[in-house]
Amino acid sequence: MAGAGTQLKSNIPGPNTADVIDAMRSRCSWPTLRVALKKENLPAGTGWAELGGTADDKQGNGPKLRQFLWNYFQEHVVAGERYVQLYELPDGVKTTLQKTLKAATVPSSAFAGSYPLPLSTKALLGAPSDPTLVEVRALGNDDYALVYCSVRSYDDRVKYEYDQLPTQVKQTYQGIDELITVRKVYFQAYDVAIIRMGLKRIEICIDQPSKGIGNFEGVVLSVFGTLCNNLPVLKEAYSSEAYNVFKAIAGIYFAPNEGTVRALSFRTLTGSRKREKMIKSDDDLRSEKFHHAGALAVDNQLKPFELTVDWDSKIPPGKVEVAMKALIREVSVQDSQLHGFTVTAETVPLMAVGINKVIKYL
């Protein structure tokens, strides 16, 4: 990195709306996008195909919708679903960081030609799997987001019952009950390192963890290591441990007005282990009759180790979800550990809301 400066502008003049929608389809939630469209008084339609048809309109809502989709996607590149680990920003590095980040340029790479849109499937197969700097985005208040693209993959498994199989396949695999096919799917990941000068915090945010990354901490260290190559003043933070966020699981759960609890896994003093999840999206597990009665029966002596909770934020407006999942063995040790958690939000400011909620209870 020849310095890490202002936001990298897209190399695409007037991006093709079909390409934007195709990119969004692979990483954005349709129900969430539909809500965002309605807030902007834009036609949502019934799905991605209809959205494309409306966006192609040269008049009416077409131009506004195309601009909205482009802006939404560019924000989603640094937001969306993220596995997050937090680190303390070293003392005495702010001045150096500010100077470097303000003057930054991003080197050319295999991803640069299409960024922020992803590479084509063919080009993706030859792109690097190591984190590659593609953008340095100024977020305001001396905060910066450094975006690193890489190629990752996951196994797409499909299960077929025997009766669903074609005759030829049945003849080949006689006597089986079901057939499972596995297809490796490659995708472009947009990992982000956010440096918050005022809060003295580094946020390593790994893209789309639900796609089966596996070794989260290994990916975090890979991105963090590349960040330190770009910004050597951060090497002290790299050698330190990430924040231990285990206390926030119980802290948030036992704060009755803190968010809406959607799911909880816990152990009781009577030796039982429970996993509970709400079906309705607007109900809080803490006030659900069965859970509430059970909690009272054990005098609220619960030891939670997994929690999913969301907040309806007023400023900035929107919803953010946080999921924290520790191993059950952590409830039985004195120094319980959890170094990462998942945040899902449409924007970086909303992601900050979720992260700050966790930190509040450490």
Side-chain angles (χ1 to χ4, degrees):
M1 180 175 64
T6 56
Q7 178 175 345
L8 177 71
K9 300 300 181 182
S10 168
N11 295 318
I12 305 171
N16 184 292
T17 303
D19 291 338
V20 175
I21 292 176
D22 192 46
M24 293 177 69
R25 190 196 297 256
S26 68
R27 62 176 296 113
C28 300
S29 160
W30 169 253
T32 304
L33 174 61
R34 196 167 186 269
V35 171
L37 288 166
K38 287 186 174 182
K39 285 182 179 179
E40 296 296 320
N41 294 316
L42 288 168
T46 57
W48 294 105
E50 189 172 330
L51 179 67
T54 305
D56 285 339
D57 187 359
K58 303 300 181 184
Q59 300 179 2
N61 286 308
K64 184 179 178 182
L65 177 57
R66 289 193 294 273
Q67 187 61 55
F68 170 83
L69 293 175
W70 181 229
N71 293 343
Y72 187 95
F73 174 73
Q74 290 186 93
E75 183 67 18
H76 210 276
V77 161
V78 291
E81 180 200 21
R82 302 279 169 175
Y83 172 79
V84 179
Q85 287 192 359
L86 307 173
Y87 296 84
E88 192 80 19
L89 191 68
D91 291 331
V93 302
K94 181 176 179 179
T95 301
T96 301
L97 278 177
Q98 285 176 322
K99 183 178 179 180
T100 304
L101 291 169
K102 286 179 180 178
T105 57
V106 176
S108 61
S109 69
F111 300 102
S114 63
Y115 184 81
L117 293 178
L119 295 172
S120 66
T121 302
K122 182 179 180 180
L124 200 61
L125 295 177
S129 58
D130 294 330
T132 303
L133 182 67
V134 291
E135 179 183 0
V136 178
R137 185 178 301 193
L139 302 176
N141 298 319
D142 285 330
D143 292 345
Y144 288 86
L146 288 81
V147 185
Y148 293 89
C149 282
S150 62
V151 178
R152 282 207 282 268
S153 65
Y154 63 93
D155 290 338
D156 181 26
R157 296 176 179 268
V158 180
K159 182 169 67 175
Y160 300 92
E161 299 298 328
Y162 184 76
D163 292 341
Q164 296 176 290
L165 300 174
T167 302
Q168 185 178 0
V169 178
K170 288 181 179 179
Q171 291 174 348
T172 304
Y173 298 101
Q174 294 182 25
I176 67 170
D177 296 317
E178 60 186 26
L179 179 68
I180 299 174
T181 62
V182 180
R183 179 173 64 97
K184 191 168 288 295
V185 179
Y186 293 89
F187 68 98
Q188 183 167 326
Y190 298 77
D191 301 320
V192 181
I194 297 179
I195 299 173
R196 300 197 183 275
M197 307 277 193
L199 296 176
K200 295 187 62 179
R201 189 169 76 210
I202 303 168
E203 303 165 4
I204 306 297
C205 308
I206 304 305
D207 194 23
Q208 301 181 85
S210 61
K211 286 188 173 179
I213 292 173
N215 182 11
F216 288 119
E217 295 204 1
V219 178
V220 167
L221 292 178
S222 177
V223 173
F224 203 172
T226 306
L227 174 68
C228 290
N229 288 336
N230 298 145
L231 299 168
V233 294
L234 299 181
K235 287 183 178 179
E236 181 183 335
Y238 180 78
S239 62
S240 66
E241 277 200 347
Y243 286 23
N244 179 9
V245 299
F246 185 86
K247 289 181 180 179
I249 299 176
I252 292 173
Y253 170 74
F254 287 113
N257 297 318
E258 190 66 271
T260 302
V261 173
R262 306 301 185 187
L264 183 74
S265 296
F266 59 94
R267 183 176 165 184
T268 70
L269 295 182
T270 59
S272 66
R273 181 174 68 181
K274 308 290 185 184
R275 281 186 169 88
E276 299 180 1
K277 184 177 181 180
M278 296 305 299
I279 297 175
K280 293 184 179 179
S281 62
D282 56 347
D283 288 344
D284 191 322
L285 178 65
R286 286 172 291 205
S287 58
E288 190 268 332
K289 288 183 179 179
F290 183 86
H291 175 80
H292 184 65
L296 288 178
V298 294
D299 197 26
N300 279 318
Q301 296 299 304
L302 309 179
K303 293 186 174 183
F305 58 93
E306 294 183 351
L307 175 74
T308 301
V309 57
D310 61 45
W311 291 266
D312 285 312
S313 173
K314 302 301 182 184
I315 303 175
K319 179 171 285 190
V320 56
E321 179 185 275
V322 168
M324 292 176 283
K325 297 183 178 182
L327 298 174
I328 188 172
R329 68 188 184 203
E330 297 297 334
V331 301
S332 302
V333 299
Q334 187 171 4
D335 187 23
S336 305
Q337 299 288 316
L338 179 65
H339 292 117
F341 55 99
T342 301
V343 182
T344 304
E346 292 178 274
T347 66
V348 171
L350 281 171
M351 285 187 60
V353 169
I355 291 171
N356 289 336
K357 290 290 187 181
V358 172
I359 291 176
K360 176 181 176 182
Y361 290 92
L362 300 185

